[in-house]
Amino acid sequence: MTTGNAMHELVRQLYPITRSITGNGVRETLQHIAEHIPVELHEVATGTNVFDWTVPKEWNIADAYIKNEQGERIVDFKKSNLHVVSYSVPVKQMMSLSELRPHLFSLPEYPDRIPYRTSYYSESWGFCLRHEDLVKLPEGTYEVCIDSKLSDGSLTYGEYVLQGETEEEILISSHICHPSLANDNLSGIVLATFLAKALQLNPHRKYTYRFLFIPGTIGSIAWLATHQEHVKKIMGGLVLTGVGDSGLLHYKKSRMGNSRMDAAATAALQESGLPHGVLDFSPFGYDERQYCSPGFNLPVGSLMRTPHGTYAEYHTSADNIDFVSPKSLEEGLALCQRIFAIFEGDVVYRNQFPFCEPQLGKRGLYEAMGQVPDEARQLQLAMLWVLNLSDGEHSLLSIAQRSGMEFSLIRKAANLLVEHAIIL
Ligand code: ZN
């Protein structure tokens, strides 16, 4: 099985689970992830104050339906968990169509899709259904049942720390609160899981990688509130979301806009040769809103394909398993690996011969550049840039940016110079 197919298979396994910002669906999802990486479950109790927010009651649901006068389930949670507005309070009642109507949600512009809706912070209930089914409902009496429970419990998140040679950290975050939606965000969850698996295999990791699988907004707020000192260690990070569709890859910059993370992600996209877009920071989207809130201002960007809310399948039943492809998932993984290879390789050196240029010929460096004239010439130029800017202040990535050369070429030139102890 290709890596892309293995990623897609995990999307398929996680797809049916009823997730929300709290509840057993999150735990079950994390247990699946734990078959791939040793993710730890953490619980934050209902009622815990986290900055301006409070961890809500835990929501669980066993069943929900609307039955017609013949006793047939015309809306059935067992067929799709999108049918129930997430966090609906329990209901068991007979009611007329006009009483029921304010609680029914559909998409007239996409009559064959079930919308995805939530009501986390105001007590209400509702059903989502296909518009083509809604318009067919006859007058009459309906049996409405939502067998849900809102109770004191906790918010669950998953965390996996892959220790590196230093305590400096890279944060990888993906939201885990959406039910049967594949691109948003099983794609991000699966990409994070497979990135962790891939990074584990690299024995020379300078950075410690922290993977968070958290409910959107309240999860990152809860984590930040309980790790306020810890965040000083974060040197870079990515929010992974919506990476499985067939659109262009997009990197959204951190609030800083000029962090090493921004430079590494931009360089990786350029080097990948894939068509792509780079977006400036904006205070909407996913958990980058919290990581990049002014009090934290962390160097955390976001990787996605088509930006959220701008594709027609977004937050509907059309965001299904077939909407994400093995190829897109695998490309996302390869790109993440490239980004962190660049980040890891972005070192600051000091030229040991800062007074005029060192003589490259007598050290055999011209032969080391290879026999292909064009390549040798490019490598020589890269070497001169590295020599000139390695003054203890410029990192290799900043040298690549300033020279307009690819990071991989700058890195190769630096390796040769290090071998000959010209830069250290
Ligand atoms: Zn969403």
Side-chain angles (χ1 to χ4, degrees):
M1 201 192 288
T2 65
T3 304
N5 285 331
M7 294 171 83
H8 200 257
E9 178 53 32
L10 184 54
V11 170
R12 187 180 298 277
Q13 284 172 17
L14 299 177
Y15 182 76
I17 301 171
T18 301
R19 280 165 292 269
S20 186
I21 52 172
T22 62
N24 290 326
V26 174
R27 297 185 188 105
E28 192 185 337
T29 301
L30 291 169
Q31 277 149 17
H32 277 276
I33 295 170
E35 289 166 19
H36 294 264
I37 52 171
V39 65
E40 275 183 27
L41 274 66
H42 296 263
E43 305 281 348
V44 185
T46 298
T48 305
N49 291 320
V50 287
F51 296 119
D52 202 34
W53 299 61
T54 305
V55 173
K57 287 189 170 168
E58 183 177 324
W59 186 73
N60 285 291
I61 180 164
D63 195 9
Y65 57 82
I66 301 172
K67 280 185 184 170
N68 62 15
E69 288 178 356
Q70 288 72 46
E72 298 159 339
R73 287 185 176 221
I74 51 158
V75 178
D76 188 357
F77 170 78
K78 298 243 157 101
K79 287 191 178 152
S80 169
N81 56 37
L82 297 177
H83 277 312
V84 174
V85 173
S86 189
Y87 258 70
S88 283
V89 296
V91 189
K92 181 99 169 115
Q93 209 178 318
M94 303 297 288
M95 58 179 74
S96 68
L97 183 59
S98 58
E99 287 172 296
L100 180 55
R101 238 181 232 292
H103 298 279
L104 301 180
F105 304 97
S106 67
L107 296 167
E109 64 274 36
Y110 297 106
D112 61 341
R113 297 179 186 172
I114 309 166
Y116 163 57
R117 284 180 78 107
T118 66
S119 180
Y120 301 138
Y121 302 105
S122 67
E123 287 212 347
S124 67
W125 61 270
F127 285 89
C128 299
L129 65 164
R130 295 178 184 87
H131 193 68
E132 61 193 19
D133 293 335
L134 175 66
V135 295
K136 279 188 269 179
L137 292 182
E139 292 298 332
T141 306
Y142 291 89
E143 182 188 337
V144 177
C145 169
I146 297 180
D147 183 8
S148 64
K149 212 165 96 181
L150 272 166
S151 52
D152 283 346
S154 55
L155 172 156
T156 311
Y157 70 86
E159 188 170 41
Y160 171 46
V161 179
L162 182 58
Q163 188 63 44
E165 288 159 5
T166 69
E167 295 298 313
E168 292 184 334
E169 280 190 9
I170 304 285
L171 181 73
I172 305 291
S173 176
S174 44
H175 63 277
I176 197 168
C177 49
H178 289 34
S180 292
L181 297 170
N183 198 40
D184 181 15
N185 187 33
L186 293 177
S187 67
I189 294 168
V190 167
L191 176 51
T193 304
F194 276 73
L195 176 61
K197 283 172 83 156
L199 288 170
Q200 281 174 345
L201 301 175
N202 174 5
H204 301 295
R205 287 180 316 269
K206 176 179 170 192
Y207 295 99
T208 293
Y209 290 77
R210 183 176 299 267
F211 294 83
L212 292 180
F213 300 91
I214 48 168
T217 308
I218 187 70
S220 52
I221 292 172
W223 187 83
L224 285 164
T226 49
H227 293 77
Q228 281 186 70
E229 281 306 302
H230 185 98
V231 299
K232 292 185 187 118
K233 296 179 181 174
I234 296 173
M235 299 294 119
L238 284 178
V239 170
L240 298 177
T241 169
V243 288
D245 65 274
S246 58
L248 294 192
L249 281 158
H250 282 89
Y251 173 71
K252 176 177 155 183
K253 290 182 183 176
S254 68
R255 179 178 182 268
M256 293 176 181
N258 60 353
S259 67
R260 278 182 59 214
M261 191 65 233
D262 300 321
T266 307
L269 274 166
Q270 279 164 359
E271 288 187 13
S272 74
L274 297 166
H276 64 270
V278 176
L279 307 170
D280 282 327
F281 176 76
S282 54
F284 48 87
Y286 291 99
D287 289 303
E288 68 275 15
R289 284 155 39 195
Q290 315 311 329
Y291 301 128
C292 296
S293 56
F296 287 109
N297 199 25
L298 299 178
V300 174
S302 178
L303 187 70
M304 68 205 88
R305 280 186 179 268
T306 311
H308 84 282
T310 65
Y311 50 96
E313 295 81 359
Y314 175 75
H315 281 191
T316 77
S317 54
D319 180 4
N320 58 27
I321 301 168
D322 297 329
F323 185 59
V324 303
S325 73
K327 178 174 177 282
S328 290
L329 292 168
E330 193 164 344
E331 266 180 10
L333 176 62
L335 180 70
C336 283
Q337 288 180 278
R338 195 187 278 268
I339 290 171
F340 292 112
I342 291 176
F343 203 93
E344 293 266 350
D346 181 34
V347 178
V348 176
Y349 290 109
R350 190 176 278 281
N351 181 350
Q352 305 300 302
F353 299 85
F355 300 103
C356 301
E357 289 173 4
Q359 212 182 328
L360 302 180
K362 75 177 182 192
R363 294 181 171 82
L365 276 162
Y366 285 112
E367 290 95 89
M369 288 178 208
Q371 300 304 314
V372 185
D374 223 39
E375 281 175 20
R377 167 105 190 116
Q378 285 299 311
L379 193 53
Q380 187 190 351
L381 278 178
M383 233 178 248
L384 294 175
W385 273 110
V386 173
L387 283 169
N388 188 278
L389 290 177
S390 290
D391 52 5
E393 284 179 25
H394 295 85
S395 76
L396 294 184
L397 199 46
S398 72
I399 297 173
Q401 284 179 314
R402 185 144 165 197
S403 65
M405 294 181 140
E406 283 204 350
F407 179 82
S408 56
L409 189 64
I410 293 290
R411 182 67 254 186
K412 191 173 172 187
N415 288 346
L416 278 171
L417 293 168
V418 170
E419 268 172 40
H420 290 81
I422 300 173
I423 60 170
L424 291 172

